[in-house]
Amino acid sequence: GMIFQNKRVLVTGGTGSLGKVLTRRLLSGAHGTPSKVVIFSRDEAKQHYMRVEYQQRARATDEIIYDNFRQLLEFRIGDVRRYDSILPAVRDADIIINAAALKQVPSCEYFPYEAVLTNIAGAENIVRSIREHGLRVETVVGVSTDKACKPVNVMGMTKAVQERVFIAANILNSGTRFICVRYGNVLASRGSVIPLFHEQIAHGGPITVTTPDMTRFLLPLERAVDTIVEAIGNARRGETYIPRIPSSRVMDIATTLVGDKDIPIVVTGIRPGEKIHEIMVSEEEGTRTIERNGYYVIRPMLPEIDGSDLDGSALGREYSSGDFVMTPEETKALLVSQRLMPGDSLTFDGEFLR
């Protein structure tokens, strides 16, 4: 439906890979035209490039021309870690999508407390803003990751706590619905494996794969946005939405990208904080996970939020990237369809890769 019609939407971390595609979707009017889209982030350079990107298009999207969204799109410099910085932005929002994160596994591993501040304290600052000022925010969406499921690294651990901060927030803030989305690696997002492989190929190799049997969920950016839209449209308080998506062997991705080029693939051994298979729903969560509209939905653990019936039978098991692995042909078809093959003019987030 027209879930964004006349809504004021705040996207924290809005200059990231997801934030940009989400913004394009918001401005397209596909789900209703918002009255305001605020991009809230720390990096003025990224904001500058994103602003310029929109100004230079005769049409930002097919439907909305620049003059129209000059009023719609607003950039604010700020930091979710600082309560006084995020509060004014939260105050003006109907819908908040929290995409601000420290998300690269090594950065979080070396600077764990930095990850705590962004991923946990940042979420709490949004919740606290709403609670302490009785704000009329309708919906807050926490953007999480499969790494938050049975986490083995700091990135996943902090995201797991972020999910719980948002879900528990439903108890003390009855006027606001707090929900989460959780999904796997977004294809071609900044810092992810495919841009890395492209760079390794561009430099003549070698491509490094940590272990031959490693699998990952692969999610096109548009499907990530679909998941957020679906959750805002249909999630009940405290629920976590999970797209059902294919997974691939990382080795198959590497082989597909190399093609017939003479580039070696080197197995380097599993890195600290890496899993062979990512898990999207744990066994424990499986008992309170249902299927709704083609998505898995994890119901909140806390009985106070919604102890209603599961309106469908529970998944009852773990959902892992090892469960439904695509064939090498299917992996190739996905990469081709997403224009992620070498030779495609790839723009990852404004950073051009040949």
Side-chain angles (χ1 to χ4, degrees):
M2 302 312 242
I3 54 175
F4 296 121
Q5 188 63 36
N6 295 326
K7 301 291 188 199
R8 293 165 309 180
V9 185
L10 169 66
V11 184
T12 69
T15 57
S17 318
L18 169 75
K20 291 168 113 168
V21 177
L22 179 61
T23 301
R24 200 175 313 143
R25 181 80 66 90
L26 287 167
L27 294 178
S28 77
H31 314 287
T33 305
S35 56
K36 179 64 81 179
V37 176
V38 175
I39 304 296
F40 178 95
S41 67
R42 293 184 301 180
D43 188 323
E44 65 177 353
K46 283 190 202 141
Q47 283 192 11
H48 167 73
Y49 288 120
M50 188 168 170
R51 190 184 289 114
V52 165
E53 210 176 311
Y54 276 103
Q55 288 175 353
Q56 283 174 346
R57 295 184 183 169
R59 301 170 152 263
T61 66
D62 296 335
E63 296 92 78
I64 293 203
I65 50 176
Y66 172 57
D67 250 12
N68 198 356
F69 67 71
R70 183 166 19 203
Q71 280 83 56
L72 280 188
L73 190 57
E74 182 186 313
F75 291 88
R76 295 195 191 181
I77 294 285
D79 192 341
V80 292
R81 299 169 168 218
R82 285 190 19 240
Y83 178 68
D84 62 314
S85 172
I86 187 69
L87 172 62
V90 172
R91 196 186 278 287
D92 294 339
D94 296 314
I95 297 171
I96 298 172
I97 298 159
N98 186 46
L102 229 62
K103 70 180 179 94
Q104 291 195 16
V105 171
S107 342
C108 296
E109 222 45 51
Y110 283 101
F111 304 100
Y113 193 64
E114 297 295 319
V116 168
L117 291 174
T118 301
N119 298 347
I120 300 177
E124 177 60 26
N125 283 336
I126 292 171
V127 173
R128 182 184 157 203
S129 299
I130 294 168
R131 187 178 65 238
E132 292 191 354
H133 300 272
L135 302 180
R136 308 291 317 158
V137 177
E138 294 165 19
T139 301
V140 176
V141 184
V143 177
S144 191
T145 159
D146 53 11
K147 293 179 173 55
C149 195
K150 304 214 297 210
V152 296
N153 51 47
V154 172
M155 192 278 220
M157 291 167 188
T158 54
K159 282 292 202 173
V161 176
Q162 176 178 128
E163 289 183 4
R164 302 303 170 101
V165 165
F166 281 135
I167 287 163
N170 285 290
I171 294 177
L172 293 176
N173 305 274
S174 56
T176 302
R177 171 183 60 149
F178 293 87
I179 56 181
C180 291
V181 297
R182 181 197 285 174
Y183 42 69
N185 292 308
V186 172
L187 281 165
S189 70
R190 199 159 35 204
S192 71
V193 68
I194 290 175
L196 171 69
F197 284 170
H198 273 270
E199 257 174 43
Q200 291 178 331
I201 290 168
H203 292 107
I207 281 196
T208 54
V209 174
T210 57
T211 170
D213 39 5
M214 178 173 285
T215 62
R216 286 296 179 265
F217 289 108
L218 296 182
L219 186 71
L221 265 169
E222 294 294 344
R223 281 289 310 273
V225 175
D226 290 340
T227 305
I228 292 170
V229 169
E230 180 74 24
I232 293 172
N234 298 308
R236 301 183 201 159
R237 300 157 62 85
E239 289 183 337
T240 301
Y241 262 65
I242 290 164
R244 298 170 58 199
I245 48 172
S247 53
S248 289
R249 281 190 186 78
V250 176
M251 190 56 98
D252 290 344
I253 298 171
T255 331
T256 303
L257 292 177
V258 167
D260 47 18
K261 288 185 285 299
D262 186 21
I263 289 178
I265 298 176
V266 178
V267 175
T268 55
I270 203 154
R271 291 183 305 188
E274 248 180 359
K275 293 181 190 171
I276 292 182
H277 305 295
E278 282 298 349
I279 302 157
M280 202 81 90
V281 179
S282 70
E283 212 169 330
E284 178 273 323
E285 289 167 332
T287 59
R288 51 192 168 88
T289 297
I290 54 167
E291 200 175 318
R292 186 187 296 150
N293 221 358
Y295 288 80
Y296 284 135
V297 180
I298 305 178
R299 310 279 293 120
M301 190 196 296
L302 303 173
E304 295 85 347
I305 298 172
D306 193 342
S308 73
D309 67 333
L310 286 172
D311 67 354
S313 58
L315 170 66
R317 58 173 177 80
E318 184 175 279
Y319 170 39
S320 143
S321 63
D323 289 348
F324 309 102
V325 183
M326 289 191 288
T327 64
E329 295 71 34
E330 289 169 324
T331 295
K332 179 170 188 174
L334 177 65
L335 295 177
V336 168
S337 74
Q338 293 294 312
R339 298 197 299 281
L340 294 173
M341 297 294 288
D344 290 328
S345 301
L346 300 186
T347 313
F348 293 112
D349 246 28
E351 291 151 40
F352 189 76
L353 294 175
R354 271 162 196 76

